[in-house]
Amino acid sequence: MSHPEQHRGRWRPRLDRPALVALLFGLVGVVYRLVLTLCTVPVSNSDEATFGLAALHIGQGREHPVFLYGQHYMGMLESYLAAPLVAVFGPSWPVLRLPMLALYAIFLYLIHRLTRRLGTPWFAAFVVGLLALGPERVVRDQLTVVGGRPEVKPAVLLMLLITVGLAAGTVHRRRLAIGLFGLLVGLAVWSDWLILPYLAVAGLALVWAVRRELLGWSGLLLVAGLVVGVAPMIVDNLRAGAGEDSLSVFREVSTKAGPQPPWSDRIRGGLLEGVPLAHGLCPVDGCGRWQQWFGVLYPLLLLAAAALAVLAYRRAAGVLRGERVGPVVQLALVAGAALTLLSYVRSPLAATSPLDNARYLSVLQLSLPAVLWPLWVAALTAWRGTSSVLGRFAGALSAAVLAALTVTTLVITVLFAATGTAASRTEERQARELAAALRADGPHEVYGDYWTCNRLIFNTDESVVCGVLDGDLSPGQNRYRPYWRQVGRAERPGYVVEVDSPMDRRLRRLLADRADAAPVREVGGYRVYHPDTPVRPWR
């Protein structure tokens, strides 16, 4: 906690010991991620490049996209945040990711503030220390510009802090704070619908805290803020054609046809793979059996946290609302985690592709203070010697769980930092070599696969334009159609394919006896073909 200290006529904040420890942990986490950002680790890809190209277009005033190019449900707030930096310094991965680093720092600050209000200073420092760690799965969600999660987590934390402040009476401009709450809800809805469970429970907490005020001007400001925040989405949906509105597109993406995996497989994938991965307990290639224990324990911790919050709420009956808001917010965090987990395991992807889709559970970090609070309380009670023999045993077991959680996360983080970045750096170097070669010697209009094209365009600052083809050389997922049209008008387009990939073999068969005559060179694991006449089998 900060205490004002007078020094030579000026007031300066003085941090207590837990706050200083939390600050140290936070600085370590930010510096660690800054180094990763400067090294472009984790590796970039074409999804992230699409956000980067949108930032480039926004900075140049060419486009003002509401949703990610080629779809109608992923907001572009991250591109707008990066646009001024990209406009000044040009397109590069560190420049693109710097706003995500700032959002991570804000996330740490806000979760520390909220945890201190709900728990104890040392517990808040412990939570910040855990969140400062991060193997590849965790830092990928925090640093890469792929939409939604880096910005919605600070938004939810700020909403809950506003609720706490309103209930405790520490917020003086109450109407403006409620309007800001609505604005944050609107921006979060536009940015990423995965945060809807947390928005719902945060809204209920606000209604509990200021339900009478919401019947007047404060309620109007709440609605006005929400409308302003979600306005880009509303306008785009009003202009969208039939079946192209956000709800229709999101429903189509979320409900894939085919046999549904049994609930047991989906729950196993969500709990035993998704939860440990989202909390940094496993490497990116999956969890060993010894790392799945936290997923088994997670539902029990949610139940224990809910029970503690209900007990604290009942004990505070009859006192001021500010004394009861803590348990209410804790219940909101528990409910948000439970609803998010339930939504995730309803999807067949929880069973069929748990490693690729565990990123959708990264928002569970918001509930870490509530989830770990029962363990902290039990361990602290046993440490003080104020419990029975059974209580001391439960406290020792809780302390062991907290230690195991910390050590496991630390080990996985160190292993990633020491040995897990080499592959990303090698792939990034090859992508830069390809971009430099084509930028210098051409061809400047090429075809390639999805995971090559937009990253190549971003790496070359659009001096090379790429049209996306599938493995059978048919038109692929071209998110930004002007690139496809530009390559389609080229008299002599090139082809960039990974060496010995299906596209490479298919192209050589189509070139037949011209394959050896067409100029071919290999750069960074790619073959660049530049035949005299274009090969467009789809025409």
Side-chain angles (χ1 to χ4, degrees):
M1 182 176 182
S2 297
H3 301 285
E5 179 183 57
Q6 193 169 18
H7 182 69
R8 293 184 180 179
R10 292 184 297 174
W11 289 89
R12 294 182 177 180
R14 178 170 56 86
L15 300 178
D16 58 21
R17 187 172 299 174
L20 285 172
V21 172
L23 178 61
L24 177 61
F25 285 154
L27 288 175
V28 170
V30 171
V31 170
Y32 164 57
R33 285 160 177 80
L34 176 60
V35 173
L36 294 179
T37 298
L38 296 177
C39 296
T40 318
V41 176
V43 67
S44 62
N45 60 47
S46 278
D47 280 346
E48 187 176 17
T50 305
F51 281 89
L53 291 169
L56 178 64
H57 299 163
I58 293 167
Q60 295 172 344
R62 293 162 49 189
E63 302 276 0
H64 297 91
V66 173
F67 296 110
L68 181 64
Y69 292 144
Q71 62 187 47
H72 291 272
Y73 63 91
M74 179 71 75
M76 299 297 285
L77 183 58
E78 293 177 9
S79 293
Y80 282 94
L81 292 175
L85 294 176
V86 173
V88 173
F89 299 104
S92 73
W93 301 109
V95 167
L96 182 64
R97 292 179 178 182
L98 279 177
M100 303 304 101
L101 181 64
L103 287 171
Y104 166 75
I106 294 171
F107 167 72
L108 281 188
Y109 171 73
L110 292 177
I111 203 166
H112 177 259
R113 288 285 304 274
L114 183 64
T115 307
R116 282 189 72 120
R117 298 294 295 268
L118 302 181
T120 64
W122 280 114
F123 179 58
F126 174 75
V127 169
V128 172
L130 273 182
L131 293 173
L133 301 173
E136 183 172 359
R137 176 70 274 162
V138 171
V139 297
R140 182 182 297 278
D141 290 323
Q142 294 168 342
L143 296 181
T144 55
V145 185
V146 291
R149 295 172 293 278
E151 64 267 28
V152 295
K153 289 190 290 185
V156 169
L157 291 172
L158 186 53
M159 288 180 225
L160 294 176
L161 280 168
I162 288 173
T163 301
V164 172
L166 289 170
T170 58
V171 175
H172 300 297
R173 299 185 178 182
R174 300 175 66 85
R175 290 179 179 176
L176 289 179
I178 293 173
L180 175 60
F181 189 105
L183 178 64
L184 291 170
V185 171
L187 289 173
V189 170
W190 168 39
S191 187
D192 191 349
W193 286 13
L194 292 174
I195 202 64
L196 287 179
Y198 279 96
L199 298 183
V201 296
L204 290 175
L206 179 72
V207 171
W208 175 88
V210 293
R211 53 184 176 271
R212 293 182 180 177
E213 293 180 53
L214 294 180
L215 298 177
W217 281 104
S218 295
L220 292 177
L221 285 174
L222 177 69
V223 174
L226 191 154
V227 171
V228 170
V230 82
M233 180 178 174
I234 295 174
V235 172
D236 187 87
N237 278 272
L238 290 175
R239 297 173 177 172
E244 294 182 353
D245 60 283
S246 300
L247 188 59
S248 299
V249 174
F250 190 77
R251 187 185 299 117
E252 181 182 352
V253 172
S254 303
T255 56
K256 297 293 185 182
Q260 295 290 317
W263 271 97
S264 58
D265 290 346
R266 284 181 275 171
I267 292 174
R268 186 182 303 112
L271 288 179
L272 302 187
E273 290 283 352
V275 170
L277 277 167
H279 289 85
L281 298 172
C282 309
V284 72
D285 56 353
C287 301
R289 288 189 178 275
W290 67 275
Q291 296 163 315
Q292 295 176 346
W293 61 270
F294 189 66
V296 176
L297 190 61
Y298 197 80
L300 301 178
L301 291 176
L302 287 179
L303 290 174
L308 275 183
V310 170
L311 182 61
Y313 185 85
R314 295 185 64 180
R315 285 177 175 173
V319 301
L320 296 175
R321 189 171 294 270
E323 298 297 326
R324 305 178 75 184
V325 68
V328 169
V329 171
Q330 285 180 319
L331 278 174
L333 291 174
V334 170
L339 291 172
T340 298
L341 196 54
L342 178 61
S343 176
Y344 178 73
V345 299
R346 288 181 66 248
S347 170
L349 295 175
T352 58
S353 185
L355 296 185
D356 293 335
N357 294 280
R359 64 186 185 274
Y360 297 130
L361 292 178
S362 67
V363 294
L364 293 181
Q365 291 178 344
L366 287 167
S367 297
L368 197 62
V371 171
L372 299 184
W373 180 239
L375 297 173
W376 186 271
V377 170
L380 190 62
T381 303
W383 175 267
R384 291 173 176 171
T386 57
S387 59
S388 63
V389 174
L390 181 60
R392 287 195 291 272
F393 173 77
L397 185 61
S398 297
V401 171
L402 291 173
L405 182 65
T406 304
V407 171
T408 304
T409 309
L410 179 61
V411 168
I412 301 299
T413 300
V414 171
L415 287 176
F416 166 65
T419 63
T421 63
S424 295
R425 299 178 70 177
T426 299
E427 182 180 343
E428 205 63 47
R429 185 182 68 252
Q430 291 176 336
R432 288 197 300 269
E433 289 174 357
L434 174 66
L438 294 184
R439 192 169 190 171
D441 303 321
H444 294 107
E445 290 90 12
V446 299
Y447 291 103
D449 66 17
Y450 176 79
W451 296 110
T452 299
C453 272
N454 278 12
R455 181 163 67 165
L456 175 61
I457 300 170
F458 185 77
N459 278 334
T460 61
D461 193 6
E462 295 188 306
S463 63
V464 176
V465 177
C466 185
V468 178
L469 300 177
D470 286 335
D472 60 356
L473 297 186
S474 61
Q477 187 181 16
N478 286 275
R479 289 190 176 276
Y480 190 63
R481 299 297 296 181
Y483 294 146
W484 173 259
R485 291 193 289 267
Q486 182 176 339
V487 179
R489 293 191 298 266
E491 295 182 359
R492 191 187 169 197
Y495 301 81
V496 179
V497 296
E498 291 188 36
V499 173
D500 293 329
S501 64
M503 187 181 293
D504 185 16
R505 294 190 292 270
R506 171 70 172 163
L507 184 60
R508 292 186 69 83
R509 285 197 298 270
L510 286 176
L511 289 172
D513 57 345
R514 291 188 295 156
D516 294 329
V520 180
R521 68 185 190 275
E522 292 191 13
V523 182
Y526 293 86
R527 282 199 179 108
V528 181
Y529 293 85
H530 199 195
D532 294 331
T533 56
V535 178
R536 295 187 175 105
W538 60 92
R539 290 188 176 180

